[in-house]
Amino acid sequence: MGDWTREYCILRVIAAGRERGSALPLEAAALRVRGGREAEHASWLIDPGVPVPSSLRERSGRSEDEYRRGLSPSAAAAQIQRSVEGLTVIVYGREEAEAPFPEDDPLLSSAVSVADARQLAWLSLPYLRDHSLDAMVSSLLQEELPWRALEEARLVYRLIAACRKVWKEGHPKVRAAVLAALRLAGNPWYHYLAGNRSSSDTAASPTFPDLIDLVPGPGKARAARDRPSAPDRPTSPNATETGEERVDPREVARFFAPGGALSQHHPGHEARPQQTAMASAVAEALNDSAFLVAEAGTGVGKSLAYLVPGALYARATGSPLVVSTYTRNLQEQLFQRDLPLLARALGSLDFSLLKGRSNYLCLRKWSAWCDLLSRGEPVLRLFELAPAEAYAFLASWLARSLSGDLEEISLSLRLPLTHFLEELSSDPDECLRTRCPRRERCWMERARLLAARSEVVVVNHALLLSQAAADEPGTSTPALPAYRHLVIDEAHHLEDVATEAFGVSFSLESCLRGLGEISPAGALYAAWKNLALEDPLPPRLAELGGEAREYSYHIMEFITGGLLAFLHTAIGSPGEVTEP
C-alpha cells in the first residue's frame, strides 16, 4: 500500500444501535482531505424506515420529518460508495460504520483501503480505559459529540492530528519498534505516523524488541518486603495505658461533619447520620479488635465509612488495612475515586490495588513471543489482527503501563486479543519465581512489594481466600502483606467464593473436557492447524504435523483407558451397584 496521506476521505456514519441487522442508519458524511486541508464534503440524511427515537432526535436537533425526507439506506450506501471510491477511507470503528448497511454489498468495498482511527487511538493513548469516539473527543479536544455526521467527521480529522502529536511525544525506541511492526503488517497508519521517514529507516530498527528495559524495576519498594508490621513510633495522645494505638471515634465523626476534612476536599459531600454512625462503629471495632457486621443501604456511603477509620488506624499502628471486594466495579471505585479522595483529605495515603496473578502480563512469556516474531517463526493467529499489529498495540501499552495489569488495556482492544492475553498472562503453574530471568522487573512482584508498603490494600475475595488456602511455594514475597484487620465488602458473595477456593470438584464432564483439550480436535492438533503460515507447509513441517496428529491419538487412547479403568473401580461395571 502506497502513501495515502496526501488525499483521503473521512467517513462518519451515525446510527441507532451498533449490531449488524439491528442498527438503523440516520445520517452519514464524507469529508475529503487533500494536501492536509479539507477539500470537499458531502452529507446525507437517511430515512431508517421506522420512527426515530425521541432521545436521538433531541440529541441531533432534527425532526422526524427531516429524517423522512432522507435517502433510503440502499440509496445512501450507493452515494457513500461513490464518494469514497479509489480513496483510503478513515472511519472510527469500522464495524460500527458498516453495521447499518447490507452485508452482501459492503459499504467500503469501493475504497482502496480502510484505516480505523480507533487503532491510532490505541497506539497514541494506550493507557486510557475508554477509546470510544465520545471519550477521545472529550479527552483530547475537550468537546462533546454534536450528533451531526459532518461535524463529527471534522472532529475525527482534528482527533487523528491530536493523536499523532501525542504519539510523537513517546519514547523514540518505542516509536521505532511500533513503526517497524506496522510496516511489516501493512497497517495503513504506518504512513500517517512515519511522516517523512522512509521505510529503510524503520527497517534498520530492531524488529520486535521486547522493550523490557523500559519497564520500571521494583526500586525502593523492595526494601518494604521486610518492613515490621508495627514500627516503633512516639506515643500518641490516643494510646492506651499499654501503649496500643487507638482511633478516636470523635475524630472520625468530625471527619464526616459539615466543614470537616471530607467536605473541604469534596464539595458535593453531605453529612449523613448513618454514615457517621457506621464509621464510629468501625473505629470502635478496630480499637477493640472485635468483629463487626454492618449492613448499609444504597446512598449511605459505606465505603468511606470503613475507609476513614481504617486508614487512620493503619496509620496509627503501622499495620495495613486490607479491603476485600467481590466485583471489579467496586475495586475500581475504591482505587480510582474513594481512596484518592481520602488521600487528599488526609494529606497523604499509601494505597494499592492487588489482583490475582493471571491479571498481570508475564514479561518472560512476552519476551519469548517477541523473540519468535523476530526470528520469523510461526505464531498462532490473532483473529482479525496480524501478529505484528498485536505487537504494535501491546508494545505501546507496555511502555506506558505502571502496573502491568492487563485490565488497563481498553476493552475494545482487549476483546480481539482475549485468547492471546490469556496465553501471555502470569500463571502460577508456569511461573519460575526466583529462577525467572525477568524477576527484577516482574509486574506481580512489583505489585506485591507496593502492597507491602501500603496503608490500605484493596484485593478481591478470590485472592484473599486463595492465600488463606495455601501460600504459593517458592514465592519471595507473599501475596498479601501481614495484616491484623480486614474489611470484607460485598460479604454476601464470600460463601460462594470460599466454596470454589476450598472445594474440589470432579465430574465425568470435566474429565472429557480435559481430554478434548489434548485430543486431535483440541489444543494439540488445533494449535498445529492454526499456525499463521500463509504459504504451503514445507514437506518436513507437513511430516511433523502428521506425527503430531498420530501421537495425539495415542495420548488420547492411553488417558481414556486409564479413566475407564478408574471409573470401573470407583463405580463398578455397568449395571452394578457399589455400596457406599
Side-chain angles (χ1 to χ4, degrees), residues 59-110:
R59 291 190 63 181
S60 66
R62 300 189 187 278
S63 66
E64 186 72 33
D65 290 339
E66 288 181 272
Y67 287 110
R68 288 290 168 266
R69 293 194 295 269
L71 299 174
S72 67
S74 58
Q79 294 277 7
I80 293 171
Q81 289 171 340
R82 283 193 289 270
S83 296
V84 305
E85 185 175 2
L87 295 172
T88 289
V89 177
I90 294 178
V91 296
Y92 202 96
R94 178 169 184 171
E95 294 181 358
E96 297 169 10
E98 294 185 316
F101 299 97
E103 191 172 4
D104 56 357
D105 186 16
L107 181 68
L108 302 175
S109 58
S110 62

Side-chain angles (χ1 to χ4, degrees), residues 520-555:
L524 183 61
Y525 187 55
W528 173 265
K529 291 192 299 181
N530 287 328
L531 288 178
L533 295 174
E534 298 182 359
D535 298 329
L537 287 173
R540 178 53 181 161
L541 285 180
E543 181 181 347
L544 290 173
E547 292 179 6
R549 178 171 54 183
E550 181 179 355
Y551 290 147
S552 66
Y553 277 121
H554 291 318
I555 292 172

Side-chain angles (χ1 to χ4, degrees), residues 239-244:
T240 64
E241 294 180 358
T242 61
E244 183 179 355

Side-chain angles (χ1 to χ4, degrees), residues 388-515:
E389 285 180 310
Y391 170 86
F393 299 135
L394 287 176
S396 300
W397 166 76
L398 178 73
R400 300 285 191 96
S401 177
L402 296 177
S403 69
D405 182 358
L406 295 173
E407 288 194 355
E408 286 181 352
I409 301 174
S410 173
L411 180 61
S412 57
L413 174 58
R414 207 160 68 237
L415 286 176
L417 292 177
T418 297
H419 175 70
F420 176 65
L421 293 178
E422 290 175 353
E423 294 297 321
L424 285 187
S425 66
S426 183
D427 188 301
D429 295 330
E430 300 176 358
C431 181
L432 300 181
R433 296 180 174 82
T434 56
R435 295 180 289 108
C436 180
R438 304 298 182 184
R439 175 172 169 266
E440 285 302 314
R441 298 183 185 274
C442 174
W443 291 118
M444 185 74 242
E445 184 80 0
R446 177 180 174 83
R448 291 177 174 180
L449 292 173
L450 290 174
R453 70 175 184 181
S454 296
E455 295 168 297
V456 179
V457 182
V458 180
V459 300
N460 60 21
H461 295 347
L463 178 60
L464 176 71
L465 294 175
S466 66
Q467 170 144 330
D471 289 335
E472 296 180 19
T475 305
S476 60
T477 309
L480 295 178
Y483 63 93
R484 294 173 53 195
H485 295 93
L486 168 69
V487 173
I488 300 178
D489 203 339
E490 300 177 312
H492 54 288
H493 292 289
L494 189 63
E495 180 180 356
D496 292 336
V497 180
T499 301
E500 183 175 350
F502 296 107
V504 177
S505 61
F506 178 85
S507 67
L508 180 60
E509 180 182 359
S510 64
C511 289
L512 295 177
R513 189 187 308 116
L515 288 173

Side-chain angles (χ1 to χ4, degrees), residues 302-304 306-307 323-339 353 458-459 461 488-492:
K302 59 181 174 62
S303 57
L304 285 174
Y306 60 70
L307 285 177
V323 179
S324 180
T325 74
Y326 177 72
T327 61
R328 290 175 178 173
N329 288 339
L330 181 55
Q331 273 191 334
E332 295 296 329
Q333 173 194 317
L334 296 175
F335 190 70
Q336 301 290 345
R337 190 185 72 183
D338 294 338
L339 285 169
L353 175 63
V458 180
V459 300
H461 295 347
I488 300 178
D489 203 339
E490 300 177 312
H492 54 288

